[in-house]
């Protein structure tokens, strides 16, 4: 009986921690939205914080709900606590640039660890 409880506890902890955001995208990002406005976005294991050019910060709790690999690109599915779903898409092996897409695959933000980049910049980078 005791082993069964330990096994259940172990399985529950795997499920609980698998919902946290991946280390691959945690940290600070420079972002540009569809209107060419600049933001800073920070991902922690359970929260996204967006800061606009006026230093206004909004925070959202989220969980990661999928990972998809295809042709060297990786996509992480995330869901905000209010139910909205997004995808973090990294089209190249260099995971220092990517995009945050809405559930229909439309770009919400371009993302870069080092500089503000446009959509065109992401596909020009090698």
């Amino acid at each position: 009986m005791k082993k069964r409880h330990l096994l259940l506890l172990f399985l529950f902890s795997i499920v609980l921690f698998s919902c946290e955001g991946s280390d691959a995208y945690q940290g600070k990002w420079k972002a540009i939205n569809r209107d060419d406005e600049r933001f800073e976005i920070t991902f922690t294991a359970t929260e996204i914080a967006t800061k606009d050019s006026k230093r206004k910060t909004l925070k959202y709790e989220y969980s990661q709900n999928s990972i998809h690999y295809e042709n060297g690109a990786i996509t992480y599915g995330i869901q905000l606590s209010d139910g909205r779903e997004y995808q973090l898409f990294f089209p190249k092996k260099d995971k220092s640039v990517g995009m945050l897409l809405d559930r229909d695959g439309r770009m919400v933000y371009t993302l870069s660890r080092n500089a503000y980049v446009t959509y065109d910049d992401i596909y020009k980078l090698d």
Side-chain angles (χ1 to χ4, degrees):
M1 185 74 163
K2 193 173 190 179
K3 287 182 182 180
R4 184 180 297 173
H5 283 102
L6 288 174
L7 179 61
L8 287 173
L9 180 62
F10 175 72
L11 291 174
F12 177 73
S13 67
I14 289 174
V15 171
L16 180 66
F17 291 113
S18 66
C19 295
E20 290 185 347
S22 172
D23 290 340
Y25 57 80
Q26 286 184 37
K28 291 187 179 188
W29 294 87
K30 295 181 183 305
I32 299 177
N33 70 5
R34 289 181 264 208
D35 297 324
D36 292 325
E37 298 170 318
R38 293 180 176 206
F39 294 81
E40 283 185 12
I41 298 178
T42 303
F43 289 89
T44 67
T46 60
E47 188 177 78
I48 301 170
T50 63
K51 186 184 303 182
D52 66 17
S53 61
K54 296 177 183 170
R55 312 296 289 168
K56 180 180 176 184
T57 301
L58 299 173
K59 295 182 179 184
Y60 307 92
E61 289 185 15
Y62 81 98
S63 60
Q64 180 179 310
N65 57 15
S66 68
I67 300 174
H68 180 75
Y69 298 95
E70 187 174 330
N71 297 328
I74 187 167
T75 304
Y76 298 92
I78 61 173
Q79 183 171 19
L80 302 187
S81 58
D82 65 7
R84 290 181 287 169
E85 295 180 359
Y86 295 94
Q87 301 168 17
L88 285 162
F89 176 63
F90 299 96
K92 301 186 179 200
K93 289 182 181 180
D94 175 10
K95 303 299 182 250
S96 67
V97 294
M99 292 178 276
L100 181 71
L101 308 173
D102 67 14
R103 72 181 316 177
D104 296 321
R106 292 183 302 242
M107 187 196 75
V108 179
Y109 295 106
T110 59
L111 303 170
S112 173
R113 294 278 190 190
N114 304 317
Y116 291 99
V117 297
T118 65
Y119 178 87
D120 290 336
D121 291 334
I122 289 174
Y123 284 100
K124 289 179 188 175
L125 298 174
D126 288 323

